[in-house]
Amino acid sequence: MMTTLTSETKTKIKGLIKGNVVVPDDPGYEEARQIWNAMIDRRPAAIVQCAQADDIPPVIRFARTNGLELSIRGAGHNIGGNALCDNGITIDFSRMKNVRVDAGKKRAYVEPGATLADLDKATQAHGLATPVGINSTTGIAGLTLGGGFGWLTRKYGMTVDNLVSVDIITADGKKLRASENENSDLFWALRGGGGNFGVVTQFEFQLFPVGPEVVAGLIVFPFRQAKQILTKYREFVNSAPEVLNVWVVLRKAPPLPFLPQNVHGKEVVVLPIFYCGPAAEAEKLLAPVRAFGDAHGEHIGTQPYVEWQKAFDPLLTPGARNYWKSHNFTELAGGALNSIIDFAGKLPSPQCEIFIGLISGAPNRVAPEAMAYAHRDAKFVLNVHGRWDEAKDDQRCIAWAREFFRASAPYASAGAYVNFMTAEENDRVAAAYGSNYDRLVEIKRRYDPENVFHLNQNIKT
Ligand SMILES: Cc1cc2nc3c(=O)[nH]c(=O)nc-3n(C[C@H](O)[C@H](O)[C@H](O)COP(=O)(O)OP(=O)(O)OC[C@H]3O[C@@H](n4cnc5c(N)ncnc54)[C@H](O)[C@@H]3O)c2cc1C
C-alpha cells in the first residue's frame, strides 16, 4: 500500500481528470483537508477536487489499482469525519456546487458539492424549496444519502422522500442513473443507505411552493420552567398543523439582543418556531406556545425562508470540537423529559446543547420498507450535541454526552439516524436500518462487493 503520493503520481492523476489535485506539499493542502468537526485530523495523500462527473471513474480506478483508500467529501459536515481518509484519495466536490432549477416541472438538479444554502438560494428564486436541514453550510450530498430532515419535513417529508433520481458512478467505474424506474434496487438503497453504493454526481429533487417569506423565530423560556414547557410542548405538537414546526433546544443562552443581559450564559429552554402557512393565521397558532410559560423574550416575525435557513449558522460554525449522540423517539415519555432536564442542568461547556427535532407528519405516512431510511415511527429526533473548543475538555464533554445517551436510552425507539452517528458507532449501523438491513447487504454485494466505499456508516458484505 502506498502511503505517500509522489509528485509524479500527482501528475498522473492530474492527467486523467479536468479537476485539481492537492497533495501535502501544496500550499492549499491544510485548507483543503479541513472539515466541520475539528476533532478529525486526517491527512489524505491526495485530495482530488473534481470538476466534472467524468473525473470520477479514472480516480476510482487509480485508487483501486494502487490499493488506496477512497473517501468522498460533500461539504465535510459529517460528525464521524468519513469525508477524509488517511494516506488515501479524497474525492472532493467543493468545485461542483451547481444547482439547476426547472421551475415549470418543480425540479432541482444538484451537484454533490452544493450546500443547503446553494440549493435554497436557487430554488427560492422561484418561490420553491424541498425539505433539507437547518444549518445552511451542511452538504446536500451526505444529508440526502442518510435521510435528511428540517423545518419543512412535517409537511413535505424527509429529503429522501423527495429525491426523484440520482446519477451515480459505482465501484467498477460505471455511470448509472437510479430512480423508481431505472436501477430501482439501487435507488431504494441510496435513499438512506449513505455513501455505500458509489459516488453520486447529481441529485434530482421535487420542489414545493414555499415562502419566499415565512413566519419564524425563537421564544426563550427560563430553565426553571423546563418541565412545564416540555410537558406542554409534548401535548401541543400532537395536534399542531404540519405547516407549523416547533423544536426544542436546551442550552446556555447566547447573547441574543432580545434577551435581558442577566440571562446571557444561563441555562434556557429555546423553542425555535417555523410556520409556512398563511401569515394571517400565525398569531392564533402561536398563542398557545407563548402561554407555555413566562418567556425571557422572543423574536418572531416574517422573514425570507433563505434567511431563516441560516439562523443557526453562527452557533454551528466549523472549527470547534464536536461529539454527538442521538436517539429517535415515538413519544416523549415523562422519564425522557426528566433525563433531558437533568443533563441540560449540567452542560459541560457553554456551547453544548440538547435539541429535539420534530419530524411527525409526512415522514410517518411512508412505509418503513419503502426505502432504506426506515424510521417511519419516529416523531422526534434527539441530538445530544457536545461542542467545545479545547482538547483538554474532550473527556469531560464526551462523558456528559455518553452518560445522557445512556440515561435517555430506555425511552427511545429502535433505530438511529445514521447522519448523527460518530465513527465509533459502527456497531449501531445494522440497528439503524432495522429490517431493511438485509436488503441493503444484498444490494451492497451487487454494486460494491469489495467494499471499496467503506468510509461511511458501513454496510458490511
Ligand atoms: C452543524 C450541522 C447541522 C446539521 N443539521 C442537520 C439537520 O438539520 N438535518 C439533518 O438531517 N442532518 C443534519 N446534519 C447532519 C448531516 O446531514 C450529516 O452530517 C451529513 O453527512 C452532512 O453531509 P455533507 O455532505 O456535508 O458531509 P460529508 O462529511 O462531506 O459527507 C458525509 C458522507 O456522505 C457520503 N457522501 C458525501 N458525498 C457523497 C457523494 N457525492 N456520493 C456518495 N457518497 C457521498 C460519504 O460517505 C461521506 O463520508 C447536520 C450536521 C451538522 C454538522
Side-chain angles (χ1 to χ4, degrees):
M1 161 110 47
M2 289 199 314
T3 51
T4 52
L5 287 176
T6 60
S7 62
E8 195 189 325
T9 319
K10 174 182 167 179
T11 314
K12 248 188 225 162
I13 303 179
K14 182 71 193 89
L16 300 170
I17 64 168
K18 195 170 148 200
N20 190 36
V21 184
V22 184
V23 296
D25 290 342
D26 290 333
Y29 179 76
E30 283 307 316
E31 196 189 328
R33 75 178 187 96
Q34 298 309 311
I35 56 171
W36 184 78
N37 185 2
M39 289 190 84
I40 310 294
D41 182 21
R42 293 193 188 149
R43 302 183 64 83
I47 299 170
V48 179
Q49 297 170 332
C50 302
Q52 54 178 8
D54 283 345
D55 286 356
I56 317 294
V59 174
I60 297 178
R61 248 188 320 273
F62 183 89
R64 295 192 68 178
T65 311
N66 291 285
L68 288 164
E69 291 258 57
L70 258 186
S71 67
I72 315 169
R73 185 191 196 277
H77 261 228
N78 200 269
I79 185 80
N82 284 322
L84 300 177
C85 54
D86 271 323
N87 299 321
I89 296 185
T90 290
I91 294 178
D92 175 317
F93 282 117
S94 55
R95 295 183 170 199
M96 288 179 62
K97 295 160 78 89
N98 189 48
V99 179
R100 182 170 63 82
V101 175
D102 183 333
K105 283 193 186 155
K106 294 200 177 68
R107 292 280 195 269
Y109 304 85
V110 185
E111 286 191 333
T115 61
L116 310 190
D118 297 323
L119 175 63
D120 287 335
K121 186 175 169 211
T123 56
Q124 279 286 281
H126 305 276
L128 299 169
T130 204
V132 289
I134 61 123
N135 169 222
S136 79
T137 58
T138 307
I140 197 67
L143 177 122
T144 302
L145 292 168
F149 67 89
W151 304 115
L152 291 171
T153 290
R154 297 199 66 212
K155 175 79 179 147
Y156 296 118
M158 304 288 294
T159 309
V160 270
D161 297 340
N162 297 294
L163 189 61
V164 178
S165 77
V166 158
D167 289 349
I168 186 168
I169 293 164
T170 47
D172 52 7
K174 261 200 205 122
K175 285 189 215 173
L176 298 176
R177 171 153 296 178
S179 69
E180 287 287 5
N181 305 317
E182 284 170 274
N183 300 300
S184 56
D185 55 345
L186 183 57
F187 189 55
W188 180 93
L190 286 166
R191 285 176 292 163
N196 272 285
F197 303 95
V199 184
V200 175
T201 56
Q202 179 177 274
F203 297 88
E204 177 186 1
F205 294 104
Q206 74 169 314
L207 305 172
F208 306 91
V210 172
E213 299 265 294
V214 297
V215 176
L218 310 175
I219 308 184
V220 180
F221 291 102
F223 183 63
R224 63 183 152 73
Q225 293 184 340
K227 187 67 188 268
Q228 167 190 331
I229 308 294
L230 288 174
T231 309
K232 291 190 175 176
Y233 168 81
R234 176 175 72 178
E235 282 161 26
F236 176 79
V237 296
N238 254 338
S239 55
E242 289 171 6
V243 281
L244 179 66
N245 204 338
V246 184
W247 288 17
V248 181
V249 184
L250 296 100
R251 60 169 293 132
K252 295 192 186 199
L256 297 166
F258 66 89
L259 291 178
Q261 234 168 11
N262 63 354
V263 173
H264 298 174
K266 303 273 169 25
E267 287 87 354
V268 285
V269 182
V270 184
L271 301 189
I273 290 168
F274 170 84
Y275 175 65
C276 61
E281 284 170 31
E283 283 303 306
K284 192 174 69 201
L285 280 168
L286 293 182
V289 183
R290 291 190 168 111
F292 284 1
D294 307 309
H296 282 313
E298 70 163 63
H299 184 73
I300 300 179
T302 303
Q303 58 180 296
Y305 172 74
V306 282
E307 290 310 313
W308 176 244
Q309 282 289 89
K310 294 177 185 160
F312 293 87
D313 291 1
L315 293 176
L316 297 167
T317 48
R321 302 177 79 78
N322 293 272
Y323 180 85
W324 291 5
K325 295 297 270 184
S326 169
H327 286 303
N328 288 337
F329 293 92
T330 51
E331 56 167 19
L332 293 173
L337 299 188
N338 290 341
S339 86
I340 289 168
I341 294 164
D342 182 17
F343 281 82
K346 43 188 181 190
L347 298 165
S349 90
Q351 300 180 66
C352 287
E353 62 184 21
I354 295 172
F355 88 66
I356 304 168
L358 180 66
I359 59 168
S360 61
N364 307 128
R365 293 191 283 273
V366 178
E369 66 281 0
M371 61 186 84
Y373 175 85
H375 316 300
R376 299 307 181 165
D377 60 347
K379 298 202 166 145
F380 306 90
V381 184
L382 173 88
N383 192 12
V384 190
H385 183 178
R387 183 177 164 95
W388 63 100
D389 288 321
E390 305 290 339
K392 67 175 169 46
D393 295 324
D394 285 5
Q395 218 181 347
R396 206 166 49 80
C397 294
I398 291 173
W400 169 80
R402 286 185 181 152
E403 276 167 39
F404 173 44
F405 174 76
R406 272 195 295 273
S408 47
Y411 314 101
S413 52
Y417 182 39
V418 286
N419 273 349
F420 285 175
M421 281 163 52
T422 57
E424 70 192 18
E425 291 189 289
N426 266 338
D427 57 343
R428 271 186 108 192
V429 175
Y433 291 110
S435 55
N436 285 343
Y437 191 69
D438 290 346
R439 185 166 177 202
L440 279 165
V441 173
E442 256 176 58
I443 298 172
K444 175 84 174 168
R445 280 196 190 122
R446 208 167 314 145
Y447 290 95
D448 184 18
E450 290 176 32
N451 205 7
V452 171
F453 302 109
H454 62 264
L455 288 171
N456 42 45
Q457 269 42 68
N458 197 226
I459 292 156
K460 302 254 184 317
T461 46

